[in-house]
């Protein structure tokens, strides 16, 4: 069974930084896309950033220039979040996208507040 485990969330002041980590386990093809999504209370889940097996990245307009996605290999992905704003407060979910399947982590809470 494929599983994703996130870590690194927490409480941070506006302008601060956090680094989220995601580790995937199980058996799946190495050619895949991993990414981060987030969901704030009362809102729909939205894309934050994705990265392909070849290293191509995409970002939501709201985080461009502040967040950086990276991956060490096919099973580990990171999200460096700088210049955090209160509107970044949400549960952040790691995602693994295969040809016909999507897998999700349990989520990690990020709260940006004074």
């Amino acid at each position: 069974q494929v599983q994703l485990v996130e870590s690194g969330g927490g409480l941070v002041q506006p302008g601060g930084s956090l680094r989220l980590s995601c580790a995937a386990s199980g058996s799946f093809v190495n050619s895949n896309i991993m990414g981060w999504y987030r969901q704030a209370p009362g809102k729909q889940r939205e894309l934050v950033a994705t990265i392909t097996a070849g290293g191509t990245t995409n970002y939501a307009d709201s985080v461009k220039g502040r967040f950086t996605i990276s991956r060490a290999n096919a099973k580990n992905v990171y999200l460096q979040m700088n210049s955090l704003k209160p509107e970044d407060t949400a549960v952040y979910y790691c995602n693994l996208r295969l040809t016909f399947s999507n897998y999700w982590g349990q989520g990690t809470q990020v709260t940006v507040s004074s």
Side-chain angles (χ1 to χ4, degrees):
Q1 179 68 36
V2 175
Q3 293 188 359
L4 305 176
V5 179
E6 303 106 328
S7 62
L11 175 65
V12 65
Q13 293 185 340
S17 298
L18 285 174
R19 182 177 175 86
L20 305 183
S21 299
C22 175
S25 63
S27 180
F28 53 88
V29 296
N30 290 334
S31 180
N32 59 64
I33 300 173
M34 297 190 74
W36 293 92
Y37 292 71
R38 66 187 181 186
Q39 186 169 22
K43 297 184 178 180
Q44 294 185 334
R45 182 184 63 192
E46 65 177 358
L47 181 147
V48 177
T50 61
I51 184 167
T52 69
T56 301
T57 59
N58 286 291
Y59 297 92
D61 289 341
S62 60
V63 306
K64 286 181 179 178
R66 299 189 298 120
F67 292 10
T68 302
I69 189 171
S70 62
R71 65 191 302 172
N73 48 53
K75 294 187 175 182
N76 295 88
V77 66
Y78 308 92
L79 184 68
Q80 179 67 46
M81 304 185 294
N82 299 325
S83 301
L84 283 161
K85 305 174 181 179
E87 52 263 44
D88 295 318
T89 296
V91 177
Y92 284 70
Y93 296 92
C94 182
N95 170 255
L96 170 64
R97 180 181 181 272
L98 304 177
T99 303
F100 300 107
S101 302
N102 278 308
Y103 296 93
W104 299 91
Q106 81 287 351
T108 184
Q109 177 70 48
V110 172
T111 302
V112 185
S113 176
S114 298

